[in-house]
């Protein structure tokens, strides 16, 4: 069972996360599968996440007390737009622009593929965006996995779409609805292609669960 463990600061408190990735058991040992998962879940004071559960695993997760996350997605067409903010994709420049926790998140994820990074900024406002190349009905798209400043993004989502169109040829930007504070105009809703779950012994709620430090940052998924 592949686990990606991380230590985060949430609302000023230290929280431990464990992301459940690939679960593989050879056939002659399948009867030991539940011993494996139960051993993992015996860890105390940990918030567990599973962002790519297969249907049969999803049913098991619900029996084990996992809560289903809203995976509703928003699709926005990318069109050329007047630039009202600045964008930087160079990793050296991004590290100069970001600070604090945003900088640490960038440094932790910068070596990973296939994700890409953008820093969007204007005056003293900044936003770190993590996205990956994607396809929607065979059309080139960009799926946004992390937004450090959702309010700032919503003020400038049109320039972001224009930037992704120019940089990656992405005709569509895909947002996960739960990562935003409100809905961009001209966006269409679409059910998520994967079922996501979490279980928190620390009492964290869905708003405190994001895609960082998970298999979504290392494995390409298309829809």
């Amino acid at each position: 069972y592949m686990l990606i463990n991380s230590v985060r600061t949430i609302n000023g408190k230290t929280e431990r996360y464990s992301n459940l990735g690939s679960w593989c058991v050879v056939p002659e040992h399948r009867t030991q599968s539940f011993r494996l998962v139960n051993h993992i879940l015996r860890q105390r004071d940990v918030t567990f996440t599973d962002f790519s559960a297969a249907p049969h695993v999803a049913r098991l997760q619900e029996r084990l007390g996992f809560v289903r996350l809203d995976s509703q997605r928003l699709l926005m067409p990318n069109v050329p737009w007047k630039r009202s903010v600045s964008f930087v994709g160079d990793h050296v420049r991004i590290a100069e622009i970001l600070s604090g926790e945003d900088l640490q998140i960038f440094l932790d994820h910068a070596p990973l593929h296939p994700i890409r990074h953008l820093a969007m900024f204007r005056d003293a406002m900044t936003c770190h965006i993590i996205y990956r190349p994607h396809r929607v009905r065979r059309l080139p798209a960009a799926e946004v996995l992390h937004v450090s400043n959702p309010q700032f993004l919503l003020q400038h989502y049109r320039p972001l779409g224009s930037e992704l169109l120019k940089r990656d040829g992405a005709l569509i930007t895909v947002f996960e609805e739960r990562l935003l504070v409100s809905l961009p105009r001209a966006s269409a809703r679409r059910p998520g292609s994967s079922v996501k779950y979490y279980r928190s012994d620390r009492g964290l709620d869905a708003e405190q669960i994001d895609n960082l430090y998970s298999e979504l940052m290392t494995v390409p998924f298309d829809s």
Side-chain angles (χ1 to χ4, degrees), residues 4-5 12 25 40 46 114 148 158 164 211 220:
I4 300 176
N5 297 322
V25 184
I40 293 170
V46 175
S148 68
R158 288 292 197 188
L164 293 173
N211 297 320

Side-chain angles (χ1 to χ4, degrees), residues 27-130:
E28 57 266 34
H29 297 293
R30 286 284 168 83
T31 57
Q32 305 300 316
S33 299
F34 293 107
R35 291 184 61 191
L36 177 61
V37 71
N38 285 332
H39 177 77
I40 293 170
L41 297 178
R42 277 201 298 268
Q43 299 176 83
R44 294 183 177 273
D45 296 324
V46 175
T47 295
F48 296 95
T49 61
D50 190 342
F51 294 150
S52 56
H56 61 285
V57 176
R59 292 191 292 271
L60 172 64
Q61 302 292 44
E62 293 176 359
R63 290 170 53 192
L64 292 172
F66 280 71
V67 178
R68 186 167 181 167
L69 288 166
D70 181 8
S71 58
Q72 190 81 12
R73 299 193 299 173
L74 301 172
L75 277 61
M76 184 187 73
N78 295 337
V79 297
W81 201 265
K82 182 180 179 181
R83 177 175 287 198
S84 57
V85 291
S86 297
F87 293 92
V88 168
D90 177 74
H91 282 201
V92 174
R93 288 282 290 120
I94 292 176
E96 294 172 347
I97 292 168
L98 300 178
S99 61
E101 185 180 3
D102 289 344
L103 175 59
Q104 187 60 57
I105 288 171
F106 166 70
L107 294 175
D108 288 344
H109 291 81
L112 303 180
H113 297 281
I115 60 173
R116 300 176 184 178
H117 300 261
L118 278 179
M120 180 171 67
F121 61 97
R122 179 178 182 180
D123 300 326
M125 299 294 292
T126 63
C127 181
H128 175 214
I129 297 165
I130 299 177

Side-chain angles (χ1 to χ4, degrees), residues 145-161:
L145 298 171
H146 170 68
V147 179
S148 68
N149 190 340
Q151 192 66 58
F152 183 54
L153 171 69
L154 286 170
Q155 297 172 7
H156 304 284
Y157 66 88
R158 288 292 197 188
L160 172 63

Side-chain angles (χ1 to χ4, degrees), residues 156-177:
H156 304 284
Y157 66 88
R158 288 292 197 188
L160 172 63
S162 180
E163 184 72 12
L164 293 173
L165 176 64
K166 182 180 73 173
R167 283 179 177 268
D168 299 272
L171 300 178
I172 299 168
T173 299
V174 182
F175 296 97
E176 200 165 1
E177 186 173 327

Side-chain angles (χ1 to χ4, degrees), residues 196-212:
K196 298 184 176 183
Y197 287 93
Y198 82 101
R199 193 183 93 169
S200 178
D201 297 333
R202 299 278 296 169
L204 300 184
D205 55 32
E207 287 71 29
Q208 295 164 311
I209 307 298
D210 56 30
N211 297 320
L212 295 172

